[in-house]
Amino acid sequence: MHCKPVAFLFVSVVIWVYAIRGGESRPPFACDPSNGLTKNLPFCRVSLPVGVRVGDLIGRLTLHEKVGLLVNNAAPVRRLGILGYEWWSEALHGVSNVGPGTKFGGAFPGATQFPQVITTAASFNDSLWQRIGQVVSDEGRAMYNGGMAGLTFWSPNVNIFRDPRWGRGQETPGEDPMLAARYGASYVRGLQGNVGNQLKVAACCKHYTAYDLDNWNGVDRFHFNARVSKQDLQDTYDVPFKACVTEGKVASVMCSYNQVNGVPTCADPNLLKNTIRGEWHLNGYIVSDCDSVGVLYETQHFTRTPEDAVAATIKAGLDLDCGPYLAVFTEGAVRQGKLTEADVNTALANTLTVQMRLGMFDGIRQPYGNLGPRDVCTPAHRQLALEAARQGMVLLLNRGRAPPLSTRFHHTVAVIGPNSDATVTMIGNYAGVACGYTTPVQGIARYVRTTHQAGCTGVACNSNQLFGAAETAARQADATVLVMGLDQSIEAEARDRSNILLPGHQQELISRVARASRGPTILVLMSGGPIDVGFAKADPKITAIIWAGYPGQEGGTAIADVLFGMTNPGGKLPMTWYPQSYLAKVPMTNMDMRANPARGYPGRTYRFYKGPVIFPFGHGLSYTTFAHTLAHGPSSVAVSLANNHSFKNSTILNDNLRVIHVNCEGLSVGVHVDVKNTGTMDGPHTLLAYSSPPGAANSDSNKQLIGFEKVHVVAGAQQRVRIHVDVCKHLSVVDKFGIRRIPMGDHSIHVGDLKHSISVQISV
């Protein structure tokens, strides 16, 4: 999200706070019981259904008042006792001050900053993602009560990390649609709570859809037309958003800047009205990315006038504009007959319903009103941030000598590199103000004596003048840890990379220090996107490589805990690490997921790319070893048609059953796998389960992730894990027309080195 400079129409209302129940609170947003003019109006009566209250309020508003509520900095309606409200707050991996709705200071100097999303995605742990969401919403509610934040947080980002150069890939759960779907639904559930129709905070899944290019090779997101096939839209780009709505019950979806097949997403009724609200049944509002309505008129020239832009977006299903356009031009659109007041009412009903579900029209009887400053940056929250960082660490390479390091043998460790004393770098983008930091060198110093050399002045590493001091430190230490990688100056919003190599002279520093090092040399990489470190993988002097992502405020402690074996790493890569040579074959503007050998196009992600990689999706080592044994699993499953369908029309085609014609209820099986820890150290293990359809060797896809389970297994012990296989969801494929079908025949289930075949047959 990014706002171009604009003059906002409405001036924010000054929020005053007063002490209440030992904390701090803002006055009621609406329905203040001390206001005799409004307290008994129907829209203030909590005993009435929300729909009735919303209808009553809309009926009392003038058109001018209504359009003032259609933008992110919504105007007050003073005659009805309603304060102004800033809709734009962010909470991607902790309460953030990126949007104007949140501020730090006073009783709220900071908030818990968890690892960047790409890092926690590497944990493959649904319960962790949900717990992080619960903590973030606790802190968000506390800050709202103190007048420092809103309740509508435009997070998470569930776009597919399609191209390794994308600067915002760090914000996403990775390249796999099923992983992104599970992450999105889990984080949303954590944020929003689970108390009937009530919302703790309102989450927002963004940016819908096929948005994963910011600024590459002269093409920016404001001008980009993403040409996407129906097949790719259905089986890749839309999958996480559908899960957000249907499984996570998210309260909002944000449409993106780009066009999809020639139509701006925020003006496409097929995407918004027909899909998000019609097919998926969104119970909430649709918001534009900031200034998207203006962009489609001013930059993309999609409409002839600003009023046409407003009419097109509202009629398409947009409810809220992050930006001024809907406030400035909606009345004119109505006067010109391009829009009706009923259209405006529909949009307003969706936003007001969410505010009422949040309790904003309940007067002083605020849900979660007891939360305050004491509930932010608590020891428990900081411990969860540490645990998340530990679970996100990925051991990419270990030649068997070290790590883990030993305090008995490695008395002095040289800590070298531009990220070795990182603070803000560790929290990535869309972050807030952290409660505090533990840097990598500080974390290591808790175990042993350290010598510290930056080696480079920043990650750009434009000079090798400091390399000599780094080499000397490595010669004199018992072990060397190089903390290298990227930061927001290299990859960020509006900043896509031109290559996936380490910046500047970093590779030279790594190689020279490794040669000089007296003991084992461990390379720790901070980044959101993948890096071609093939040189390090091939260097026998580098004993191990660890990817730390952007590990959050407690990242230094987590890195040290993994280095010294207090934590056994169990993370898995949520994206493919390609060689630099891959980029020449894949323009960022090509949205095709599948390979096209005739054009020399190799395809994208582990699902469709079959070429060489540095490290594959799902890769991650441990300090122990695990063995898998199939306990039991079905050899066949029968599929029956729903009652109102027969073997006619398009139900069956080439032995593929159309999913919407199948009786999917209860159509699932379990594959049970025994996991034995065959090593000497207790540790976590993530089982990744994939499926391949019949005839996969001749298809355009490799395999697809269908499930994952995380278990902790004591050394020498064994645990049985059930892999849930939903036949309609996990054993189906999408054809070139965008229709999801279940192929009849033998499907292969892969778990580690295990393969199990399940025959899917029609039950007549």
Side-chain angles (χ1 to χ4, degrees), residues 445-698:
R446 293 176 177 177
Y447 283 92
V448 293
R449 188 167 65 253
T450 61
T451 57
H452 179 231
Q453 292 291 333
C456 304
T457 54
V459 297
C461 202
N462 292 320
S463 168
N464 61 7
Q465 291 182 353
L466 303 178
F467 288 10
E471 289 172 295
T472 299
R475 287 190 193 98
Q476 297 174 351
D478 299 317
T480 299
V481 176
L482 283 150
V483 191
M484 312 296 288
L486 315 178
D487 65 12
Q488 301 306 301
S489 70
I490 305 296
E491 55 175 358
E493 183 172 16
R495 185 175 292 125
D496 297 330
R497 287 187 285 167
S498 59
N499 64 68
I500 52 175
L501 301 172
L502 285 166
H505 293 272
Q506 282 198 41
Q507 178 173 333
E508 180 189 351
L509 175 62
I510 293 167
S511 297
R512 284 175 55 173
V513 167
R515 282 197 302 269
S517 181
R518 187 176 80 195
T521 301
I522 301 166
L523 174 60
V524 177
L525 296 167
M526 284 191 194
S527 73
I531 305 170
D532 181 348
V533 288
F535 76 95
K537 184 180 176 184
D539 187 342
K541 288 286 290 178
I542 296 174
T543 55
I545 304 174
I546 295 171
W547 179 63
Y550 292 125
Q553 66 177 48
E554 308 296 333
T557 301
I559 289 170
D561 288 347
V562 169
L563 288 172
F564 285 91
M566 289 295 292
T567 295
N568 192 345
K572 305 285 186 182
L573 285 179
M575 73 297 205
T576 302
W577 285 39
Y578 303 92
Q580 168 69 14
S581 58
Y582 171 78
L583 302 185
K585 305 168 186 174
V586 283
M588 276 194 78
T589 49
N590 190 325
M591 302 296 291
D592 292 344
M593 297 300 298
R594 289 159 171 81
N596 186 334
R599 291 192 291 113
Y601 184 72
R604 295 184 181 276
T605 77
Y606 79 93
R607 295 162 64 219
F608 305 108
Y609 170 67
K610 301 179 182 180
V613 300
I614 304 301
F615 296 109
F617 173 90
H619 175 71
L621 305 175
S622 171
Y623 293 150
T624 189
T625 53
F626 297 94
H628 305 128
T629 307
L630 179 68
H632 56 86
S635 58
S636 64
V637 60
V639 176
S640 62
L641 296 182
N643 292 332
N644 57 337
H645 291 288
S646 62
F647 294 106
K648 296 178 181 178
N649 303 324
S650 57
T651 295
I652 186 164
L653 181 67
N654 297 327
D655 287 330
N656 294 331
L657 280 181
R658 193 166 181 172
V659 167
I660 62 171
H661 295 170
V662 170
N663 182 10
C664 292
E665 186 175 354
L667 188 59
S668 62
V669 296
V671 175
H672 297 257
V673 177
D674 287 334
V675 181
K676 185 172 184 179
N677 185 334
T678 56
T680 59
M681 182 184 287
D682 302 349
H685 183 58
T686 301
L687 281 85
L688 303 181
Y690 301 88
S691 71
S692 298
N698 300 315

Side-chain angles (χ1 to χ4, degrees), residues 263-280:
V263 182
T265 63
C266 293
D268 191 335
N270 186 52
L271 292 178
L272 306 190
K273 184 177 291 184
N274 296 346
T275 302
I276 297 176
R277 202 170 292 284
E279 292 181 26
W280 302 343

Side-chain angles (χ1 to χ4, degrees), residues 28 59 87 92 99 168 212 222 243 249 360 362 409-410 445 458 568 618 627 632 639 648 673 701 716 735 746:
W87 285 82
L92 183 68
R168 301 189 73 177
D212 48 19
F222 306 115
K249 309 299 180 186
M360 294 174 67
D362 293 355
F409 303 113
H410 305 107
N568 192 345
H632 56 86
V639 176
K648 296 178 181 178
V673 177
S701 63
D735 67 19
D746 292 339

